[in-house]
Amino acid sequence: MTTHTIRVEPIGAEIQCREDQTVLDACLREGIWLPHACTHGTCGTCKAQILDGEVDLGDASPYALLESERDEGAALICVAQPRGDVVLEGEVDMDEGVGVHPVRDFRARVDSLDEIAPDVRRLVLALEEPMKFNPGQYVLLDVPGGHQRPYSIASTPADGSKIELHLKRSENGVATDGWVFRDLAAGDEVTLSGPYGRFSFRPLRTQPILLLGSGTGLAPLKSMIRHLDEDGGGGQQVTLYHGVATKDDLYDREYFEELEARADWFTYRPALSRDDWQGRSGRVPALLAEDYPRAGGHVAYICGSPDMVSDTMKALMKARLFPRDIYREDFFDSADRAAGTHVVRSPLIRR
Ligand SMILES: Cc1cc2nc3c(=O)[nH]c(=O)nc-3n(C[C@H](O)[C@H](O)[C@H](O)COP(=O)(O)OP(=O)(O)OC[C@H]3O[C@@H](n4cnc5c(N)ncnc54)[C@H](O)[C@@H]3O)c2cc1C
Ligand code: FES
């Protein structure tokens, strides 16, 4: 396979990229941590300027990469492949204290696959080689038929040889309905790559922490909490909101209740949007607005459906928390891609 040289400015790093490989993939495998979020041409986070050379723009969503931006030489490097030597301008900006773990390919066996809530499964993969990652990052799981899907890691880096994922069934979804919820079983072999994503715990930030998740958006937050738990807490107060529809959807409740009972640094606030129960009812952004009319001085991590993430972000900004204190992971899927909403347009919004 032909390879080409990619030069990343302004740092001047040079790496090799195959013609069938995306520019982002080649960079991440060499530890050059360029901005990215969805890795499937949907969100626009990885947009970079091609200063010289030619790329195939690949499957870039027309909403995330406008015609005018294409004409001006921009590309979404998570889907763009080189067609010659390329010079691009990117923003390499990992925060201090955050480890950079080059992406690798992994083979794994399904250790267990359990129903933990209606239409939600916990998939534990035993990896042949341990993976190094930061709490909050995700993997790309290879799905039969040549597809790949991103899933956040719910376990901690302390044991990188077993990776826990939480998967929600999407009706007619290729990976979930068509595979994980149909014929995947314990003992099956799977392949994956990782770690990906900039949504990871920032160990040097000392403010009190708000962790805000909906549905399986709990996964990366659970990884952060378990990581802090292994460390005896990070010295800050940590408050977890987990928004789901009904009580049955509230998975891993026992673990968080048990942690809350023994750790004075942790508060658990489950929120049900449809059920009446003895606990709080309402969506996470509404409960947050009630509890935090002023949220300045916190650091927040939000994860879940793009609608929930956007609404929660708005609630936090209304409560005077600056975008620089908010980290977000949007679970974009094929429907979001087709709809073309939630594309990054403001430089203040970081993914
Ligand atoms: C960074 C990241 C991390 C993620 N982590 C998790 C996680 O930890 N847990 C989790 O459950 N999910 C996670 N997701 C979402 C996950 O990657 C998948 O998108 C999700 O599981 C659906 O995949 P699928 O193949 O089953 O469905 P898909 O085949 O992708 O379809 C999704 C839905 O879109 C509909 N659809 C498909 N094509 C179209 C179209 N052209 N127009 C309109 N509708 C269409 C389908 O019917 C289906 O309902 C994450 C996403 C991202 C970006
Ligand atoms: S990471 Fe490339 S478009 Fe989302």
Side-chain angles (χ1 to χ4, degrees):
M1 174 63 64
T2 315
T3 64
H4 300 291
T5 302
I6 312 287
R7 192 161 89 232
V8 182
E9 297 292 7
I11 58 171
E14 288 198 351
I15 53 145
Q16 295 301 305
C17 182
R18 297 189 317 269
E19 279 210 346
D20 67 346
Q21 188 179 19
T22 68
V23 173
L24 178 69
D25 187 71
C27 289
L28 296 183
R29 282 171 193 271
E30 290 298 328
I32 299 173
W33 216 251
L34 291 168
H36 63 285
C38 72
T39 50
H40 49 64
T42 303
C43 68
T45 307
C46 66
K47 196 175 296 165
Q49 200 62 30
I50 305 298
L51 302 177
D52 195 24
E54 201 186 320
V55 296
D56 179 333
L57 292 177
D59 201 12
S61 146
Y63 304 100
L65 187 66
L66 303 175
E67 208 53 56
S68 55
E69 294 172 319
R70 292 167 198 245
D71 292 345
E72 285 162 13
L76 300 183
I77 57 167
C78 70
V79 287
Q81 298 174 338
R83 291 297 171 260
D85 291 349
V86 167
V87 181
L88 68 85
E89 188 169 35
E91 175 209 350
V92 184
D93 75 339
M94 273 314 268
D95 287 13
E96 228 183 296
V98 176
V100 173
H101 305 296
V103 166
R104 300 271 178 268
D105 296 319
F106 294 88
R107 301 176 67 82
R109 192 177 39 75
V110 176
D111 189 68
S112 61
L113 180 60
D114 300 305
E115 197 93 13
I116 49 173
D119 286 336
V120 177
R121 289 192 173 178
R122 186 193 319 276
L123 171 61
V124 178
L125 299 174
L127 273 55
E128 278 182 5
E129 301 278 338
M131 183 188 293
K132 287 189 177 151
F133 61 94
N134 301 320
Q137 289 194 288
Y138 69 87
V139 295
L140 279 180
L141 193 58
D142 295 326
V143 177
H147 309 278
Q148 288 185 320
R149 293 287 185 268
Y151 292 103
S152 299
I153 306 170
S155 43
T156 69
D159 180 8
S161 60
K162 270 204 182 162
I163 299 269
E164 174 184 331
L165 309 176
H166 302 162
L167 285 86
K168 166 121 185 93
R169 189 175 74 85
S170 279
E171 210 176 323
N172 302 318
V174 170
T176 54
D177 222 5
W179 180 47
V180 174
F181 285 75
R182 200 179 59 183
D183 44 27
L184 189 69
D188 285 359
E189 298 240 327
V190 298
T191 53
L192 64 152
S193 57
Y196 294 90
R198 300 198 304 171
F199 181 75
S200 67
F201 184 64
R202 302 309 203 262
L204 298 189
R205 304 211 60 171
T206 53
Q207 302 101 308
I209 299 169
L210 292 170
L211 301 178
L212 310 158
S214 67
T216 49
L218 179 68
L221 309 181
K222 183 180 172 189
S223 174
M224 295 179 193
I225 292 167
R226 287 183 54 193
H227 175 70
L228 286 166
D229 191 14
E230 285 162 359
D231 255 12
Q236 305 114 298
Q237 284 301 310
V238 178
T239 304
L240 168 70
Y241 285 76
H242 185 204
V244 292
T246 70
K247 210 160 128 190
D248 289 345
D249 300 313
L250 211 52
Y251 68 89
D252 283 346
R253 183 177 168 191
E254 297 73 23
Y255 167 67
F256 294 116
E257 286 181 343
E258 181 273 326
L259 179 63
E260 185 175 40
R262 75 177 151 80
D264 58 2
W265 52 268
F266 180 67
T267 306
Y268 175 48
R269 294 196 173 143
L272 307 189
S273 59
R274 263 194 255 146
D275 261 3
D276 263 346
W277 67 319
Q278 80 281 10
R280 307 279 299 281
S281 294
R283 294 181 66 238
V284 169
L287 299 188
L288 198 59
E290 269 174 40
D291 295 350
Y292 294 90
R294 290 283 178 273
H298 287 78
V299 58
Y301 298 83
I302 320 171
C303 183
S305 71
D307 283 338
M308 176 272 178
V309 174
S310 291
D311 292 349
T312 307
M313 177 105 191
K314 281 181 206 151
L316 286 171
M317 286 169 66
K318 210 168 161 193
R320 304 280 165 85
L321 192 62
F322 293 112
R324 64 164 184 262
D325 295 322
I326 307 174
Y327 301 93
R328 61 189 283 173
E329 187 81 288
D330 300 63
F331 280 1
F332 295 109
D333 69 6
S334 306
D336 299 309
R337 183 188 161 78
T341 44
H342 309 294
V343 170
V344 182
R345 292 275 171 236
S346 163
L348 287 177
I349 309 282
R350 292 189 308 176
R351 285 198 175 108

